Amino acid sequence: MSVTTIVMYASIVVGTGALFWGYSLASLDGPARWLLAAGAAWLFAQWQRLHWAASLGLLVFVGAAAYGLWAGLPASLMTLAAVGGLLGWDLAGVSHRLRLASSTDDVKKIEQMHMARVAVVSALGLVLAGVASVIRIRLSFELAVALVLLAGIGLTQVVSWLQRRGE
Amino acid sequence: MSRFNFLGLIVYTLLIATLFTLRGEFLILAIPFAVYLMAGFLFAPGEVQLEVSRHLSAERATPDTSVEVTVTVTNLGAALEEAQFEDVVPSQLKVLDGSPRSLVTLPKGGVHTLTYSVSGPRGGYAFESLKVKVNDHLAVAGSEVQFKSANQLFIFPPLTHLRHIPIRPRRTRVYAGSIPARAGGAGSEFFGVRDYQPGDSPRSINWHASARHEELYSNEFQQERVSDVGIVLDGRLRTNAFGRGHSLFEYSVMAAAALADAFLTQGNRVGLLLYANYLGWTLPAYGKVQRERILQALARAKTGDSQVFSALEHIPTRLFPPESQIVVVSPLTEDDVAPLVQLRGLGYQVMAVSPDPISFEMSYLPAKDPSVQMASRVVRMERGLLLRKLQHSGVQTLNWDVSQPFDQVVARQLHRPLGWLRTGR
């Protein structure tokens, strides 16, 4: 089993664990068990090499983390779960791409370079999220307007992409 | 959906959730995803500039022999973090060794070589392009490009070398060859006796005739010249296809290749007509180049069905010079007798080389089954009658049991003295 696969399974386990722990802390045992089952299903799907399962898994993790935040569950655990999901999704994509390599390709080199980059990106994401959760700022009107504009631009991009796809 | 769009959708959903709920926690959740996206953009690959060349160890091969394909990619642009190459292999070819795909990190000026070997059935195969997919390590931004690099691989039918094939068309060409030309001159076969003419070699004097008539007579020999030979390959599905996916066409192609090779080696001008759902015509010519053209046409030949060409009566006779030799390679059906006799009537010398469909079908049917035995006896009689009809009409026939080597069958059946041909019918 390659390093990528091991880290991918570990990330999904960490993400599932964080969600389960966070939900259990708020005595939401029913949803916690469902999330545990979802994590196990994702692991099983990865084992069966079902490529589409990673995107679905990430959506479930992000959705559960967002709901957890809305319900007032610990932000650190929810962010950890989302980052775990992101890592699992990313590494599932890598292992899918590596499967297309031939036996003579230097797969280890690609794997190492990818692991180094994703580790830096995840760490940076976690640190920034941690810093953002410590430094609490009230959303000013201007910032809110800026966010609305950003969201508007994003939505425009999404709509134009959907239109291009439909043509 | 691309990875970029998928992550972008998550980030914007979280942003919108922040705005609607006015809760900063959703923004915090979006941060790792935004960092991931930004890192992807930061290391996004630039314009892909590659030089692609492909080399085949052989451009002509025989079925199921291995051909090594080497694709060399040189990176003329910026370094590529992840480049996935896929050489587009024609679907009928089988990859035996190595892989036509590769995933590499290619530095600026770097060279990557992809080596694999393929084999396949008879055919003409085009290698056209190399698919290249490049992206950063996070695969957020990337592009897919196809680089053209054309090569052709011909897998020719197995070629059986035949010895001299005796044919006797009424009309020959002017060049010296090996076919008796029905005209006196220099040659090896006795043709007749004529009055002695000054300049005749004393060796050519026929002393018996001269003694009897008290005048000098000379022996005359038959000129040997080259001829026009048109090979008609029957590619009709209804005559070639049999039950359980079996087909006689490969044998017909093999026979046509061997005959074309033999006729060209004898110095004749040979053309090939593929008679299937269309007419595939290879113009007649001489020599090695023509041999190559015919083999390429045979490599590409396929069976097909068409209402227009369902019977041999639509063979375009204007393609063949008058009174030349036509060789029809076909399993033959009852309907084919009349068109072949008609060709003979038009003055062509016709030879029918027929892979035997009955022995072919019997090779995979249960031979001990009484009903199969009975059916085979009936169809064998029918076929015997068909071949006899053709022979009586002056069509030279060769019935080929495909379980036996073609060269042996040709040697056995065609090298007999062709008494009926000598009469000049």
Coordinates of all heavy atoms in Angstrom, one line a residue, chain A residues 55 58-59 62 65-66 69-70 78-79 82-83 86 89-90 93 97-98 100-102 105 110 113-114 117-118 121 124-125 128-129 132-133 136 144 147-148 150-151 154-155 161, chain B residues 1 3 5-7 9-10 12 14-16 18-19 21-23 25-29 31-33 35-36 39 43 81-82 84 99 101-105 112 135-139:
Chain A
S55 N -15.8 12.9 -3.8 CA -16.5 14.1 -3.9 C -17.7 14.1 -3.0 O -18.0 15.1 -2.3 CB -16.9 14.4 -5.3 OG -15.8 14.5 -6.2
L58 N -16.6 14.3 0.6 CA -16.2 15.7 1.0 C -17.4 16.6 1.3 O -17.4 17.3 2.2 CB -15.3 16.3 -0.1 CG -14.8 17.8 0.2 CD1 -14.0 17.8 1.5 CD2 -14.0 18.3 -1.0
L59 N -18.4 16.5 0.4 CA -19.6 17.3 0.5 C -20.3 17.0 1.9 O -20.7 17.9 2.6 CB -20.6 17.0 -0.6 CG -20.3 17.7 -1.9 CD1 -21.3 17.4 -3.0 CD2 -20.3 19.3 -1.7
V62 N -18.1 18.5 4.7 CA -18.2 19.9 4.8 C -19.6 20.3 5.3 O -19.8 21.2 6.1 CB -17.9 20.6 3.4 CG1 -18.2 22.1 3.4 CG2 -16.5 20.4 3.0
A65 N -19.8 19.6 9.0 CA -19.0 20.6 9.7 C -19.7 21.9 9.8 O -19.8 22.6 10.8 CB -17.6 20.7 9.1
A66 N -20.3 22.3 8.6 CA -21.0 23.6 8.6 C -22.2 23.6 9.6 O -22.5 24.5 10.3 CB -21.5 23.9 7.2
L69 N -21.0 23.8 13.1 CA -20.7 25.2 13.4 C -22.0 26.0 13.7 O -22.0 26.8 14.7 CB -19.9 25.9 12.3 CG -18.4 25.4 12.2 CD1 -17.8 26.0 10.9 CD2 -17.6 25.8 13.4
W70 N -22.9 25.8 12.9 CA -24.2 26.5 13.1 C -24.9 26.1 14.4 O -25.5 26.9 15.1 CB -25.1 26.2 11.9 CG -26.4 27.0 11.8 CD1 -26.4 28.4 11.6 CD2 -27.7 26.6 12.1 NE1 -27.7 28.8 11.6 CE2 -28.5 27.7 11.9 CE3 -28.3 25.3 12.4 CZ2 -29.9 27.6 12.1 CZ3 -29.6 25.3 12.5 CH2 -30.5 26.4 12.4
M78 N -14.7 21.0 14.0 CA -15.4 21.0 12.7 C -14.4 21.4 11.6 O -14.4 20.8 10.5 CB -16.5 22.0 12.7 CG -17.6 21.7 13.7 SD -18.4 20.1 13.4 CE -17.8 19.1 14.7
T79 N -13.5 22.3 11.9 CA -12.5 22.7 10.9 C -11.6 21.5 10.6 O -11.2 21.2 9.4 CB -11.6 23.9 11.4 OG1 -12.5 24.9 11.8 CG2 -10.8 24.5 10.3
A82 N -13.3 19.2 8.3 CA -13.4 19.7 6.9 C -12.0 19.5 6.3 O -11.9 19.0 5.1 CB -13.8 21.1 6.9
V83 N -10.9 19.8 7.0 CA -9.6 19.6 6.4 C -9.3 18.1 6.2 O -8.7 17.7 5.2 CB -8.5 20.3 7.4 CG1 -7.1 19.9 6.9 CG2 -8.7 21.8 7.4
L86 N -11.0 17.3 3.1 CA -10.3 17.9 1.9 C -9.1 17.0 1.6 O -8.8 16.7 0.4 CB -9.9 19.3 2.3 CG -9.0 20.1 1.2 CD1 -9.9 20.3 0.0 CD2 -8.6 21.4 1.8
W89 N -10.2 13.7 0.0 CA -10.6 14.0 -1.4 C -9.4 14.2 -2.3 O -9.4 13.6 -3.4 CB -11.5 15.2 -1.4 CG -11.9 15.7 -2.7 CD1 -12.9 15.2 -3.5 CD2 -11.4 16.8 -3.4 NE1 -13.0 15.9 -4.7 CE2 -12.1 17.0 -4.6 CE3 -10.4 17.8 -3.1 CZ2 -11.8 18.0 -5.5 CZ3 -10.1 18.8 -4.0 CH2 -10.8 18.9 -5.2
D90 N -8.5 15.0 -1.8 CA -7.3 15.3 -2.6 C -6.5 14.0 -2.9 O -6.1 13.7 -4.0 CB -6.4 16.3 -1.9 CG -5.1 16.5 -2.6 OD1 -5.1 17.2 -3.6 OD2 -4.1 15.9 -2.1
G93 N -7.9 11.6 -5.3 CA -7.7 12.0 -6.7 C -6.3 11.7 -7.1 O -6.0 11.2 -8.2
R97 N -5.0 9.2 -10.1 CA -4.1 9.6 -11.2 C -2.8 8.7 -11.2 O -2.4 8.4 -12.3 CB -3.6 11.1 -11.0 CG -4.7 12.1 -11.1 CD -4.1 13.5 -11.5 NE -3.3 14.0 -10.5 CZ -3.7 14.6 -9.4 NH1 -5.0 14.8 -9.2 NH2 -2.8 15.1 -8.5
L98 N -2.4 8.3 -10.1 CA -1.2 7.4 -10.0 C -1.5 6.0 -10.7 O -0.5 5.4 -11.2 CB -0.7 7.2 -8.6 CG -0.1 8.5 -8.0 CD1 0.4 8.2 -6.5 CD2 1.1 9.0 -8.8
L100 N -2.9 5.6 -13.3 CA -2.7 5.7 -14.8 C -1.2 5.7 -15.2 O -0.9 5.7 -16.3 CB -3.3 7.0 -15.3 CG -4.8 7.2 -15.0 CD1 -5.3 8.6 -15.4 CD2 -5.6 6.1 -15.7
A101 N -0.4 5.7 -14.2 CA 1.1 5.7 -14.5 C 1.5 4.3 -14.9 O 0.9 3.3 -14.5 CB 1.9 6.2 -13.3
S102 N 2.6 4.3 -15.7 CA 3.1 2.9 -16.1 C 4.1 2.5 -15.0 O 4.5 3.2 -14.2 CB 3.8 3.0 -17.4 OG 5.0 3.7 -17.3
D105 N 7.3 4.5 -14.5 CA 7.3 5.9 -14.1 C 7.8 6.0 -12.7 O 7.6 5.2 -11.9 CB 5.9 6.4 -14.2 CG 5.4 6.5 -15.7 OD1 6.3 6.6 -16.6 OD2 4.2 6.6 -15.9
I110 N 6.7 11.8 -7.7 CA 5.4 12.6 -7.8 C 4.7 12.5 -6.5 O 4.2 13.5 -6.0 CB 4.6 12.0 -9.0 CG1 5.3 12.2 -10.3 CG2 3.2 12.7 -9.0 CD1 4.6 11.6 -11.5
M113 N 6.4 14.7 -3.9 CA 6.2 16.2 -4.1 C 4.8 16.6 -3.8 O 4.6 17.7 -3.2 CB 6.6 16.5 -5.6 CG 8.1 16.4 -5.8 SD 8.5 16.5 -7.6 CE 8.4 18.2 -7.9
H114 N 3.9 15.7 -4.1 CA 2.5 16.1 -3.8 C 2.2 16.1 -2.3 O 1.6 17.0 -1.8 CB 1.6 15.0 -4.5 CG 0.1 15.3 -4.2 ND1 -0.5 14.7 -3.1 CD2 -0.8 16.1 -4.8 CE1 -1.8 15.1 -3.1 NE2 -1.9 16.0 -4.1
R117 N 3.5 19.3 -0.8 CA 2.7 20.5 -1.1 C 1.4 20.4 -0.3 O 1.0 21.4 0.3 CB 2.4 20.6 -2.6 CG 1.6 21.8 -2.9 CD 1.6 22.3 -4.3 NE 3.0 22.5 -4.7 CZ 3.4 22.6 -6.0 NH1 2.4 22.5 -6.9 NH2 4.6 22.8 -6.3
V118 N 0.7 19.3 -0.3 CA -0.6 19.2 0.3 C -0.4 19.4 1.9 O -1.3 19.9 2.5 CB -1.3 17.9 -0.1 CG1 -1.0 16.7 0.7 CG2 -2.8 18.1 -0.1
V121 N -0.1 23.1 2.4 CA -1.3 23.8 2.1 C -2.3 23.5 3.3 O -3.0 24.4 3.8 CB -1.9 23.3 0.8 CG1 -3.4 23.7 0.6 CG2 -1.1 23.9 -0.4
L124 N -1.2 25.3 6.4 CA -1.4 26.7 6.3 C -2.9 27.0 6.5 O -3.3 28.0 7.2 CB -0.9 27.2 4.9 CG -0.9 28.7 4.7 CD1 0.2 29.3 5.6 CD2 -0.5 29.0 3.2
G125 N -3.7 26.2 5.9 CA -5.2 26.4 6.0 C -5.6 26.3 7.4 O -6.4 27.1 7.9
L128 N -4.3 29.3 9.4 CA -5.1 30.5 9.1 C -6.5 30.5 9.7 O -7.1 31.4 10.2 CB -5.2 30.8 7.6 CG -3.9 31.3 6.9 CD1 -4.1 31.4 5.4 CD2 -3.5 32.6 7.5
A129 N -7.1 29.3 9.6 CA -8.4 29.1 10.2 C -8.4 29.3 11.7 O -9.3 29.9 12.3 CB -9.0 27.7 9.8
A132 N -8.0 32.9 12.5 CA -9.2 33.6 12.2 C -10.3 33.3 13.3 O -11.1 34.2 13.6 CB -9.8 33.1 10.9
S133 N -10.2 32.1 13.9 CA -11.2 31.8 14.9 C -10.8 32.5 16.2 O -11.7 32.7 17.1 CB -11.3 30.3 15.1 OG -10.1 29.8 15.5
R136 N -11.4 37.5 16.6 CA -12.8 37.6 16.3 C -13.1 39.0 15.9 O -12.8 40.0 16.6 CB -13.7 37.2 17.4 CG -13.8 35.7 17.6 CD -14.8 35.3 18.7 NE -14.9 33.9 18.7 CZ -15.9 33.3 17.9 NH1 -16.6 34.0 17.2 NH2 -16.0 32.0 18.0
A144 N -19.0 43.4 4.6 CA -20.2 42.6 4.2 C -20.4 42.8 2.7 O -20.7 41.9 1.9 CB -21.4 42.9 5.0
L147 N -17.9 41.2 0.6 CA -18.2 39.7 0.6 C -19.3 39.4 -0.4 O -19.3 38.5 -1.2 CB -18.5 39.2 2.0 CG -17.3 38.9 2.9 CD1 -17.8 38.5 4.3 CD2 -16.4 37.8 2.3
V148 N -20.3 40.3 -0.4 CA -21.5 40.1 -1.3 C -21.0 40.2 -2.7 O -21.3 39.4 -3.6 CB -22.6 41.2 -1.0 CG1 -23.6 41.2 -2.1 CG2 -23.2 40.9 0.3
L150 N -18.0 39.7 -3.8 CA -17.1 38.5 -4.1 C -18.0 37.4 -4.5 O -17.8 36.6 -5.4 CB -16.3 38.2 -2.9 CG -15.0 37.5 -3.2 CD1 -14.1 38.2 -4.1 CD2 -14.2 37.2 -1.9
A151 N -19.1 37.2 -3.6 CA -20.0 36.1 -3.9 C -20.7 36.3 -5.2 O -20.9 35.3 -5.9 CB -21.0 36.0 -2.7
G154 N -18.5 35.4 -8.0 CA -18.4 33.9 -8.0 C -19.6 33.3 -8.6 O -19.5 32.4 -9.4
L155 N -20.7 33.8 -8.2 CA -22.0 33.2 -8.8 C -22.1 33.4 -10.3 O -22.5 32.5 -11.0 CB -23.2 33.8 -8.1 CG -23.6 33.2 -6.7 CD1 -24.7 34.0 -6.1 CD2 -24.0 31.7 -6.9
W161 N -20.2 29.4 -16.4 CA -19.6 28.1 -16.6 C -20.7 27.1 -17.0 O -20.6 26.3 -17.9 CB -18.9 27.6 -15.3 CG -18.4 26.2 -15.4 CD1 -17.4 25.7 -16.2 CD2 -19.0 25.1 -14.8 NE1 -17.3 24.3 -16.0 CE2 -18.3 23.9 -15.2 CE3 -20.1 24.9 -13.9 CZ2 -18.6 22.6 -14.7 CZ3 -20.4 23.6 -13.5 CH2 -19.7 22.5 -13.9
Chain B
M1 N -17.6 17.6 -13.3 CA -17.2 18.9 -12.8 C -15.7 18.9 -12.5 O -15.3 17.9 -11.9 CB -18.1 19.2 -11.5 CG -17.9 20.7 -11.1 SD -18.7 21.0 -9.5 CE -20.4 21.2 -10.0
R3 N -12.1 19.9 -10.7 CA -11.8 20.0 -9.2 C -11.9 21.5 -8.8 O -12.3 21.8 -7.7 CB -10.4 19.5 -9.0 CG -10.3 18.0 -9.1 CD -8.9 17.5 -9.2 NE -8.1 17.7 -8.0 CZ -8.0 16.9 -7.0 NH1 -8.7 15.7 -7.0 NH2 -7.2 17.1 -6.0
N5 N -13.8 23.9 -10.1 CA -15.3 24.3 -9.9 C -15.9 23.7 -8.7 O -16.7 24.3 -8.0 CB -16.0 23.8 -11.1 CG -15.7 24.6 -12.4 OD1 -15.4 25.8 -12.3 ND2 -15.7 24.0 -13.5
F6 N -15.5 22.4 -8.4 CA -16.1 21.8 -7.2 C -15.7 22.5 -5.9 O -16.5 22.8 -5.1 CB -15.6 20.3 -7.2 CG -16.1 19.5 -6.0 CD1 -17.5 19.2 -6.0 CD2 -15.3 19.0 -5.0 CE1 -18.0 18.4 -4.9 CE2 -15.8 18.3 -4.0 CZ -17.1 18.0 -3.9
L7 N -14.4 22.8 -5.8 CA -13.9 23.5 -4.6 C -14.4 24.9 -4.6 O -14.8 25.4 -3.5 CB -12.4 23.5 -4.6 CG -11.7 22.2 -4.2 CD1 -10.2 22.4 -4.1 CD2 -12.2 21.7 -2.8
L9 N -17.2 26.0 -5.7 CA -18.6 25.9 -5.3 C -18.7 25.8 -3.7 O -19.6 26.5 -3.1 CB -19.3 24.7 -5.9 CG -20.8 24.7 -6.0 CD1 -21.3 25.7 -7.0 CD2 -21.3 23.3 -6.5
I10 N -17.9 25.0 -3.1 CA -17.9 24.8 -1.7 C -17.5 26.2 -1.0 O -18.2 26.6 -0.1 CB -16.9 23.7 -1.3 CG1 -17.4 22.4 -1.7 CG2 -16.6 23.7 0.3 CD1 -16.4 21.2 -1.4
Y12 N -17.8 29.3 -2.2 CA -18.8 30.3 -2.3 C -20.1 29.9 -1.6 O -20.8 30.8 -1.1 CB -19.1 30.5 -3.8 CG -18.1 31.5 -4.4 CD1 -17.1 31.1 -5.2 CD2 -18.3 32.8 -4.1 CE1 -16.1 32.0 -5.6 CE2 -17.3 33.8 -4.5 CZ -16.3 33.3 -5.3 OH -15.4 34.3 -5.7
L14 N -20.1 28.5 1.3 CA -19.7 28.9 2.7 C -19.8 30.4 2.8 O -20.2 30.9 3.9 CB -18.4 28.3 3.1 CG -18.3 26.8 3.3 CD1 -16.9 26.3 3.4 CD2 -19.2 26.4 4.5
L15 N -19.3 31.1 1.8 CA -19.4 32.6 1.8 C -20.8 33.1 1.9 O -21.1 34.0 2.7 CB -18.7 33.2 0.6 CG -17.2 33.3 0.6 CD1 -16.7 33.9 -0.7 CD2 -16.7 34.2 1.7
I16 N -21.6 32.5 1.1 CA -23.1 32.9 1.1 C -23.7 32.6 2.4 O -24.5 33.3 3.0 CB -23.8 32.2 -0.1 CG1 -23.3 32.9 -1.4 CG2 -25.3 32.4 0.0 CD1 -23.6 32.1 -2.7
T18 N -22.2 32.5 5.2 CA -21.7 33.6 6.2 C -22.6 34.8 6.1 O -23.0 35.4 7.1 CB -20.2 33.9 5.8 OG1 -19.5 32.7 5.8 CG2 -19.6 34.9 6.8
L19 N -22.9 35.2 4.8 CA -23.6 36.4 4.6 C -25.1 36.3 5.1 O -25.6 37.2 5.7 CB -23.6 36.8 3.2 CG -22.3 37.3 2.6 CD1 -22.4 37.5 1.1 CD2 -22.0 38.7 3.3
T21 N -26.2 34.1 7.4 CA -26.4 33.8 8.9 C -25.6 34.9 9.7 O -25.8 34.9 10.9 CB -25.8 32.4 9.2 OG1 -24.5 32.4 8.8 CG2 -26.6 31.3 8.5
L22 N -24.8 35.7 9.0 CA -23.9 36.6 9.7 C -23.1 35.9 10.8 O -22.9 36.5 11.9 CB -24.7 37.8 10.2 CG -25.2 38.8 9.2 CD1 -26.1 39.8 9.8 CD2 -24.1 39.4 8.4
R23 N -22.6 34.7 10.5 CA -21.8 33.9 11.4 C -20.4 33.7 10.8 O -20.3 33.1 9.7 CB -22.4 32.6 11.8 CG -23.9 32.7 12.3 CD -24.0 32.4 13.7 NE -23.2 31.4 14.3 CZ -23.7 30.4 15.0 NH1 -25.0 30.1 15.0 NH2 -22.9 29.5 15.6
E25 N -18.1 31.8 11.5 CA -17.5 30.4 11.6 C -17.5 29.8 10.2 O -16.6 29.0 9.9 CB -18.4 29.5 12.5 CG -18.2 29.8 14.0 CD -19.2 30.9 14.5 OE1 -19.8 31.6 13.6 OE2 -19.4 30.9 15.7
F26 N -18.5 30.1 9.4 CA -18.6 29.5 8.0 C -17.4 30.0 7.2 O -16.8 29.3 6.4 CB -19.9 29.9 7.3 CG -21.1 29.2 8.0 CD1 -22.2 29.9 8.4 CD2 -21.1 27.8 8.1 CE1 -23.2 29.3 9.0 CE2 -22.2 27.2 8.7 CZ -23.3 27.9 9.1
L27 N -17.0 31.3 7.5 CA -15.9 31.9 6.8 C -14.6 31.1 7.2 O -13.7 30.9 6.3 CB -15.8 33.4 7.1 CG -15.1 34.3 6.1 CD1 -15.7 34.2 4.8 CD2 -15.0 35.7 6.7
I28 N -14.5 30.8 8.4 CA -13.3 30.1 8.9 C -13.2 28.7 8.2 O -12.2 28.3 7.8 CB -13.4 29.9 10.5 CG1 -13.3 31.2 11.2 CG2 -12.4 28.9 11.0 CD1 -13.7 31.2 12.6
L29 N -14.4 28.1 8.1 CA -14.4 26.8 7.4 C -14.0 26.9 5.9 O -13.4 25.9 5.4 CB -15.9 26.2 7.5 CG -16.0 24.7 7.4 CD1 -15.3 24.0 8.5 CD2 -17.5 24.4 7.5
I31 N -11.7 28.9 4.8 CA -10.3 29.3 4.6 C -9.4 28.1 4.1 O -8.7 28.3 3.1 CB -9.7 29.8 6.0 CG1 -10.3 31.2 6.2 CG2 -8.2 29.9 5.9 CD1 -10.0 31.9 7.5
P32 N -9.4 26.9 4.7 CA -8.6 25.8 4.1 C -8.8 25.6 2.6 O -7.9 25.3 1.9 CB -8.9 24.6 4.9 CG -9.5 25.1 6.2 CD -10.2 26.4 5.8
F33 N -10.1 25.7 2.2 CA -10.4 25.4 0.8 C -9.9 26.5 -0.1 O -9.4 26.3 -1.2 CB -11.9 25.3 0.6 CG -12.5 24.1 1.3 CD1 -13.0 24.1 2.6 CD2 -12.5 22.8 0.7 CE1 -13.5 23.0 3.3 CE2 -13.0 21.7 1.4 CZ -13.5 21.8 2.7
V35 N -7.3 28.4 0.6 CA -5.8 28.3 0.6 C -5.5 27.2 -0.5 O -4.5 27.4 -1.3 CB -5.3 27.9 2.0 CG1 -3.8 27.6 1.9 CG2 -5.5 29.1 2.9
Y36 N -6.2 26.2 -0.5 CA -6.0 25.1 -1.4 C -6.1 25.6 -2.9 O -5.2 25.3 -3.7 CB -7.0 23.9 -1.1 CG -6.7 22.6 -1.9 CD1 -6.1 21.6 -1.3 CD2 -7.2 22.5 -3.2 CE1 -5.9 20.4 -2.0 CE2 -7.0 21.3 -3.9 CZ -6.3 20.2 -3.3 OH -6.1 19.1 -3.9
A39 N -3.3 28.0 -3.8 CA -2.0 27.2 -4.0 C -2.0 26.6 -5.4 O -1.0 26.6 -6.1 CB -1.8 26.1 -2.9
F43 N 0.7 27.6 -8.6 CA 1.6 26.6 -9.3 C 0.9 26.1 -10.6 O 1.4 25.1 -11.1 CB 1.9 25.4 -8.4 CG 2.7 25.8 -7.2 CD1 2.0 26.0 -6.0 CD2 4.0 26.1 -7.3 CE1 2.8 26.3 -4.8 CE2 4.7 26.5 -6.2 CZ 4.1 26.6 -4.9
E81 N 4.8 20.1 -13.6 CA 4.8 19.3 -12.3 C 4.2 17.9 -12.5 O 4.7 16.9 -12.0 CB 3.9 20.1 -11.3 CG 4.6 21.4 -10.9 CD 3.9 22.0 -9.6 OE1 2.8 21.6 -9.4 OE2 4.6 22.8 -9.0
E82 N 3.1 17.8 -13.2 CA 2.5 16.5 -13.5 C 2.0 16.5 -14.9 O 1.2 17.3 -15.3 CB 1.3 16.3 -12.6 CG 1.5 15.4 -11.4 CD 0.3 15.1 -10.6 OE1 -0.7 14.7 -11.2 OE2 0.3 15.3 -9.4
Q84 N 0.6 13.9 -17.8 CA 0.1 12.6 -18.1 C 0.1 12.4 -19.6 O -0.7 13.1 -20.3 CB -1.2 12.4 -17.5 CG -1.8 11.0 -17.5 CD -3.2 11.0 -17.0 OE1 -3.5 11.5 -16.0 NE2 -4.0 10.3 -17.8
S99 N 3.5 0.3 -21.5 CA 2.2 1.0 -21.4 C 2.2 2.2 -22.3 O 3.3 2.9 -22.4 CB 2.0 1.4 -20.0 OG 0.9 2.2 -19.9
R101 N 0.7 4.7 -21.7 CA 0.5 5.9 -20.8 C 1.6 6.1 -19.8 O 2.4 5.2 -19.5 CB -0.8 5.6 -19.9 CG -2.1 5.7 -20.7 CD -3.2 5.7 -19.9 NE -3.3 4.4 -19.1 CZ -4.4 3.8 -18.7 NH1 -5.6 4.4 -19.1 NH2 -4.5 2.7 -18.0
S102 N 1.8 7.3 -19.4 CA 2.8 7.6 -18.5 C 2.5 8.9 -17.7 O 1.9 9.8 -18.2 CB 4.1 7.8 -19.3 OG 5.2 8.0 -18.5
L103 N 2.9 8.9 -16.5 CA 2.7 10.1 -15.6 C 4.1 10.5 -15.1 O 4.8 9.7 -14.4 CB 1.8 9.7 -14.4 CG 1.4 10.8 -13.5 CD1 0.4 11.7 -14.1 CD2 0.8 10.2 -12.2
V104 N 4.5 11.7 -15.4 CA 5.9 12.1 -15.1 C 5.9 13.6 -14.7 O 5.0 14.4 -14.9 CB 6.8 12.0 -16.3 CG1 7.1 10.5 -16.5 CG2 6.3 12.7 -17.5
T105 N 7.0 13.9 -14.0 CA 7.3 15.3 -13.8 C 8.4 15.7 -14.8 O 9.4 15.0 -14.9 CB 7.9 15.5 -12.4 OG1 6.9 15.1 -11.5 CG2 8.3 16.9 -12.1
H112 N 11.2 12.8 -22.2 CA 10.6 11.6 -21.7 C 10.4 10.6 -22.8 O 9.8 11.0 -23.9 CB 9.4 11.9 -20.9 CG 8.7 10.7 -20.3 ND1 9.3 9.9 -19.3 CD2 7.6 10.0 -20.7 CE1 8.5 8.9 -19.1 NE2 7.4 8.9 -19.9
N135 N -1.1 19.3 -15.2 CA -1.7 20.0 -14.1 C -0.6 20.2 -13.0 O 0.5 19.7 -13.0 CB -2.9 19.3 -13.5 CG -2.7 17.9 -13.2 OD1 -3.1 17.0 -14.0 ND2 -2.0 17.6 -12.1
D136 N -1.0 21.1 -12.0 CA -0.1 21.2 -10.8 C -0.3 20.0 -9.9 O -1.1 19.1 -10.2 CB -0.5 22.5 -10.1 CG -1.9 22.4 -9.6 OD1 -2.8 22.3 -10.4 OD2 -2.1 22.5 -8.3
H137 N 0.5 19.9 -8.8 CA 0.4 18.7 -8.0 C -1.0 18.6 -7.4 O -1.4 17.5 -7.0 CB 1.5 18.8 -6.9 CG 2.8 18.3 -7.4 ND1 3.0 17.1 -8.1 CD2 4.0 18.9 -7.4 CE1 4.2 17.0 -8.5 NE2 4.9 18.1 -8.1
L138 N -1.7 19.7 -7.1 CA -3.0 19.7 -6.5 C -4.1 19.4 -7.6 O -5.3 19.3 -7.2 CB -3.3 20.9 -5.7 CG -2.3 21.2 -4.6 CD1 -2.7 22.5 -3.9 CD2 -2.2 20.1 -3.6
A139 N -3.7 19.5 -8.8 CA -4.7 19.2 -10.0 C -5.8 20.2 -9.9 O -7.0 19.9 -10.3 CB -5.2 17.8 -10.0

